[in-house]
Amino acid sequence: MSISTPQASPDQSAGDSATSRRLLYVAAPAVISIVTLLALTALIEWGSGHPERFSSVGAYRAFMDVAVLARFGPAFLSAIIVYPAMRLRGASIGWAGWGAASSAIAFGLVSAVLALRFFPPAQALYYALNPMVVAALGSQVAFSALAEVFVRWRRHGRAGLRNPRLWAIVIAVATAGFALCYVGVIWDGGRHWFYVWIRGFMLFFGNGQ
């Protein structure tokens, strides 16, 4: 006696396909931002320490400067585009927030992977919390909060901006995010957060030996 395997109906298959396309459509801005970050990181790694790959030392320095600065876009600023794009495509505040933060999270994970060249896994993973990554997360969170104001305006016009609770949340979240970014990389070059971060490293791993 044979047992047949239930087959999905055409309607169910079509529904699953439509759902997948819908999810990809909503997530596309975040995916593009992450891919851009990874591509720029690959270019930086390819060129770093190899001026012989360029026509001149000046070309090498210009390339590295432009690539490093360009990577700040997806790492620190992509929420300006990603968050409202996802929200206007139907994402909830939570999912759009994760999407906007995804490039900063990817930045941290890439930092940890690259740190494996110098540190054992646990220490490399801790490197994902370095001041640049924390500042990137703060920046993305802050810009996401501000972008929600734009989303409400696009959807409801001025009427969508008359909610005091909205402004209270936006101001609080944006202030906290920008403060984190400021402490991470701007205030005295980020040395204050670096001190906290390195003290944490020593707490967990001693002198790193």
Side-chain angles (χ1 to χ4, degrees):
M1 180 177 65
S2 62
I3 301 176
S4 60
T5 303
Q7 300 293 322
S9 66
D11 289 343
Q12 181 180 354
S13 298
D16 291 343
S17 178
T19 299
S20 298
R21 289 196 301 271
R22 176 65 179 170
L23 290 174
L24 181 60
Y25 171 75
V26 172
V31 173
I32 292 171
S33 181
I34 292 173
V35 170
T36 302
L37 175 82
L38 295 177
L40 289 168
T41 299
L43 283 174
I44 292 169
E45 288 300 306
W46 172 80
S48 181
H50 295 283
E52 73 279 0
R53 294 175 175 171
F54 299 83
S55 59
S56 66
V57 173
Y60 164 71
R61 290 175 178 170
F63 172 86
M64 293 302 297
D65 288 345
V66 170
V68 170
L69 287 174
R71 189 171 61 173
F72 285 151
F76 281 77
L77 305 173
S78 63
I80 297 173
I81 297 174
V82 172
Y83 184 92
M86 290 185 65
R87 286 283 283 136
L88 294 174
R89 291 176 177 219
S92 65
I93 290 176
W95 280 114
W98 278 109
S102 61
S103 293
I105 294 171
F107 183 42
L109 293 176
V110 167
S111 298
V113 170
L114 295 177
L116 286 171
R117 295 178 295 187
F118 311 104
F119 301 109
Q123 294 178 18
L125 183 61
Y126 183 81
Y127 193 74
L129 297 176
N130 74 74
M132 288 288 288
V133 175
V134 171
L137 281 169
S139 177
Q140 300 284 31
V141 168
F143 281 119
S144 293
L146 296 179
E148 180 62 23
V149 175
F150 172 76
V151 171
R152 299 296 178 98
W153 173 76
R154 280 293 303 273
R155 285 179 171 174
H156 309 293
R158 293 183 179 179
L161 306 180
R162 294 172 184 163
N163 186 344
R165 184 170 177 268
L166 167 68
W167 288 104
I169 294 174
V170 166
I171 291 171
V173 173
T175 299
F178 284 132
L180 201 57
C181 182
Y182 178 78
V183 171
V185 296
I186 300 174
W187 185 24
D188 287 342
R191 68 179 183 179
H192 300 286
W193 175 250
F194 179 80
Y195 176 79
V196 174
W197 177 73
I198 202 66
R199 294 289 294 180
F201 184 93
M202 294 173 66
L203 176 66
F204 288 114
F205 309 111
N207 61 4
Q209 302 299 321

